Amino acid sequence: MLAIKKQALGSASRILLRANVLSGLAVRASRSYSKLYKSSDEAIEGIKSGDTLLIGGFGLCGIPENLLKAIARRKDIQQITAVSNNAGTSDYGLGTLLQSRQIKRMISSYVGENKEFSRQYLGGELEVELLPQGTIAERVRSGGAGIPAFYTLTGVGTQVETGGIPIKYGKNGEVLISSTPRETKVFNGRKYLMEEGITGDYALVKAWKGDELGNLVFKYAASNFNAPMATAGKITIAEVEEIVPVGELKPNEIHIPGIHVHRIIKGETYEKRIEKLTLRRSADEENELPESMKQRIHIIKRAAREFKDGMYVNLGIGMPVLASNYIDPQITVHLQSENGILGMGPFPTPNEVDADLVNAGKESVTVLPGGTCFSSDVSFGMIRGNRLDMTILGGMQVSSRGDLSNWMVPRKMVKGIGGAMDLVAAPKSRVVVTMTHTAKDGSPKILKENTLPLTGVQCVDRIITDKCVFDVVPNKGLLLRELSYGQTVDSIKASTGCDFEVASDVAETF
């Protein structure tokens, strides 16, 4: 027994000695080896014309603003292919590289309110490859993970599948380059599209904290596209708000391990602009709103009745996101925002505003107790994985079969695909569309067949307008369920572009 104890003590001593030696080596290594660069100008050395850059951020939230400024100063860097969810604003973020004409092609999901982005695209000055937001996130994640391609339901039945989305316009509005058709395959009786992984020559990302080994921590919703982009660059350059000593970041706190990061800087200055600073309104303030906004609130208050206790729900940008302010206080609804929030709360008060907390519409928001934040690829994994009970989206047109159009008016207006195609492709998620019943010119938006490019095929379950509520009945068409106060069946017929059935108990309810 004594011999066994001596042997055990000897082994323990050798283990402790070995651990101390390794610990000493690790400390010395961290002191002698560093990925820290002195400035953003130094960090971007090597980027050249024609490179593909993966750029993190969502809107202006979490963008690598110092690295982008450094590239803007390098006028010799031209013909960039930029992979980014969007391009910031006309005067900030990636938009500055559009202004300086350093970008040849954007691979994005959303143009939004960036007028310069839209102008260059429609004017034939810029190539734009528009993709669903979740598809971009997964293509980048797959590229970083060494996966050459994958299959997805997103985009089936739309121009993403068939090709023909304009990439480059001519000066007279003719299409010079368009997207190509996707390869398809059937799994379990359903058609899927094949999408290829994306990698870049460089990835430019922004984090909250980092150390000299390249370990990164994000703050709130600023993880967004930064996390997948960081893994998919041949060379990843990270800028952070704070450099901390090696070892200060606990292993379970680190979001991106340093193996993915090649260069890191402490950002020189941060403006951290908020694209759409939106604050909570009081009831009195709502009464003073213009009629157009009152109309939207009228629609969304009815949409809020769709919430049921315990639901997980995604709210689309624009009108739908207003529903977060009208949830019955007696129930719990978990709101998901595709840029990486679960447990999203209402708009903030002035004291609650945080530039790292925005929703999918780039508006300032709050997170409720128990809420979580994560990256865009994780977010769309939830969506594709049928974790959501319901999605509420805006619409430009809905057909009697439930086809949805909400992202583009060819040659005139390009909002971008955004996350809508991913959301409506999830087969088990209920899809509710909120929109005005007619366009500004009085023409109907509910039609027998859509005339605009499709977002999804036979995907809508319910339509809520300022005039009524329709259900889409599979293989039958529209059923008029409810009327807004002051509306009649005849007034609905006069403003709707297709036939419909009327429920026996139809009544004025909102």
Side-chain angles (χ1 to χ4, degrees):
M1 181 63 71
L2 184 60
I4 293 173
K5 286 183 178 179
K6 287 182 177 179
Q7 183 179 355
L9 288 171
S11 297
S13 298
R14 286 194 296 274
I15 292 170
L16 287 171
L17 178 61
R18 197 171 295 138
N20 288 332
V21 170
L22 291 172
S23 176
L25 286 173
V27 170
R28 287 196 296 274
S30 67
R31 288 173 179 167
S32 62
Y33 175 75
S34 173
K35 299 178 181 180
L36 183 63
Y37 280 61
K38 295 178 181 178
S39 68
S40 54
D41 290 318
E42 183 183 56
I44 67 163
E45 283 297 325
I47 296 178
K48 62 186 184 304
S49 294
D51 278 348
T52 295
L53 306 184
L54 311 180
I55 300 170
F58 185 90
L60 298 180
C61 178
I63 61 170
E65 50 188 280
N66 290 286
L67 294 171
L68 291 173
K69 289 175 183 176
I71 292 175
R73 289 191 289 268
R74 288 279 307 277
K75 304 303 181 187
D76 58 305
I77 301 175
Q78 298 287 327
Q79 300 290 299
I80 294 168
T81 294
V83 183
S84 178
N85 180 65
N86 50 356
T89 58
S90 296
D91 65 342
Y92 207 70
L94 196 51
T96 58
L97 300 187
L98 291 176
Q99 292 279 10
S100 60
R101 304 297 195 277
Q102 290 172 267
I103 298 176
K104 176 186 179 182
R105 175 177 286 207
M106 288 290 306
I107 300 177
S108 301
S109 84
Y110 197 68
V111 176
E113 293 72 37
N114 188 325
K115 294 180 180 178
E116 182 62 16
F117 191 175
S118 178
R119 188 197 68 76
Q120 288 190 23
Y121 173 46
L122 294 176
E125 301 173 26
L126 176 71
E127 296 177 10
V128 179
E129 189 175 345
L130 288 169
L131 299 170
Q133 188 178 142
T135 296
I136 294 180
E138 187 62 17
R139 287 181 67 176
V140 172
R141 189 204 70 81
S142 296
I147 298 171
F150 61 93
Y151 285 93
T152 178
L153 284 169
T154 301
V156 170
T158 73
Q159 282 186 294
V160 174
E161 175 190 348
T162 61
I165 300 175
I167 291 176
K168 178 71 179 295
Y169 285 106
K171 293 182 179 179
N172 298 317
E174 72 277 19
V175 177
L176 302 180
I177 306 172
S178 60
S179 65
T180 57
R182 295 294 194 269
E183 180 181 318
T184 64
K185 190 170 183 177
V186 175
F187 296 91
N188 300 318
R190 299 196 65 143
K191 185 195 291 185
Y192 287 74
L193 310 184
M194 191 184 80
E195 297 283 0
E196 297 183 6
I198 292 176
T199 57
D201 298 297
Y202 290 83
L204 310 182
V205 301
K206 189 263 177 183
W208 178 33
K209 294 179 181 180
D211 62 26
E212 292 188 23
L213 295 181
N215 297 309
L216 303 178
V217 174
F218 302 109
K219 184 182 177 188
Y220 296 135
S223 176
N224 52 59
F225 276 86
N226 280 301
M229 297 295 192
T231 69
K234 294 175 184 175
I235 296 176
T236 293
I237 310 171
E239 63 171 80
V240 298
E241 295 178 42
E242 183 182 355
I243 296 285
V244 301
V246 172
E248 183 170 315
L249 299 176
K250 302 298 184 287
N252 60 322
E253 296 175 335
I254 294 168
H255 296 133
I256 295 294
I259 193 171
H260 293 297
V261 178
H262 304 85
R263 306 174 189 177
I264 188 168
I265 62 161
K266 182 181 184 300
E268 290 88 344
T269 59
Y270 284 105
E271 291 187 45
K272 296 187 72 169
R273 295 186 190 181
I274 299 175
E275 193 166 338
K276 297 178 183 178
L277 177 60
T278 310
L279 302 177
R280 204 173 303 170
R281 296 190 185 97
S282 66
D284 290 338
E285 288 173 320
E286 281 190 8
N287 292 331
E288 297 173 0
L289 292 171
E291 287 303 315
S292 60
M293 181 56 75
K294 289 181 181 178
Q295 182 185 50
R296 290 156 64 91
I297 291 175
H298 173 66
I299 297 168
I300 216 64
K301 282 183 175 179
R302 169 57 191 84
R305 297 184 199 171
E306 301 293 308
F307 296 132
K308 302 293 184 290
D309 195 25
M311 269 187 167
Y312 288 89
V313 181
N314 180 283
L315 301 178
I317 65 174
M319 192 191 311
V321 80
L322 297 172
S324 63
N325 298 292
Y326 302 104
I327 298 172
D328 183 342
Q330 302 303 312
I331 67 174
T332 298
V333 177
H334 309 279
L335 297 179
Q336 194 251 22
S337 187
E338 61 261 36
N339 58 308
I341 303 174
L342 183 63
M344 184 174 67
F347 297 131
T349 64
N351 292 332
E352 295 173 321
V353 172
D354 191 312
D356 292 314
L357 267 178
V358 301
N359 61 23
K362 293 92 176 177
E363 299 165 308
S364 47
V365 291
T366 56
V367 175
L368 298 176
T372 56
C373 295
F374 34 83
S375 61
S376 296
D377 55 315
V378 171
S379 182
F380 281 97
M382 296 175 186
I383 293 166
R384 284 191 303 274
N386 286 305
R387 303 303 181 189
L388 297 181
D389 298 298
M390 182 170 67
T391 292
I392 302 180
L393 295 167
M396 295 178 184
Q397 292 178 346
V398 180
S399 77
S400 59
R401 300 189 314 156
D403 303 329
L404 173 65
S405 300
N406 75 349
W407 67 277
M408 185 184 203
V409 179
R411 296 183 176 85
K412 292 182 179 179
M413 189 276 291
V414 184
K415 284 287 185 183
I417 298 172
M421 281 193 188
D422 303 276
L423 288 160
V424 303
K428 295 182 181 178
S429 180
R430 178 173 169 80
V431 175
V432 177
V433 171
T434 56
M435 64 182 187
T436 56
H437 203 92
T438 59
K440 291 180 180 179
D441 63 1
S443 60
K445 295 167 73 173
I446 301 173
L447 306 165
K448 184 177 180 180
E449 298 286 345
N450 296 41
T451 60
L452 297 175
L454 294 181
T455 303
V457 176
Q458 298 182 38
C459 59
V460 178
D461 296 291
R462 174 162 281 189
I463 309 166
I464 301 174
T465 76
D466 51 313
K467 297 178 182 291
C468 69
V469 176
F470 279 118
D471 277 348
V472 181
V473 182
N475 303 315
K476 291 186 178 180
L478 299 181
L479 178 65
L480 181 62
R481 282 288 188 189
E482 302 174 35
L483 297 169
S484 180
Y485 295 122
Q487 297 294 326
T488 66
V489 173
D490 286 339
S491 69
I492 301 303
K493 286 181 178 178
S495 55
T496 303
C498 62
D499 295 332
F500 56 85
E501 298 295 320
V502 180
S504 59
D505 59 349
V506 69
E508 298 178 18
T509 63
F510 69 104

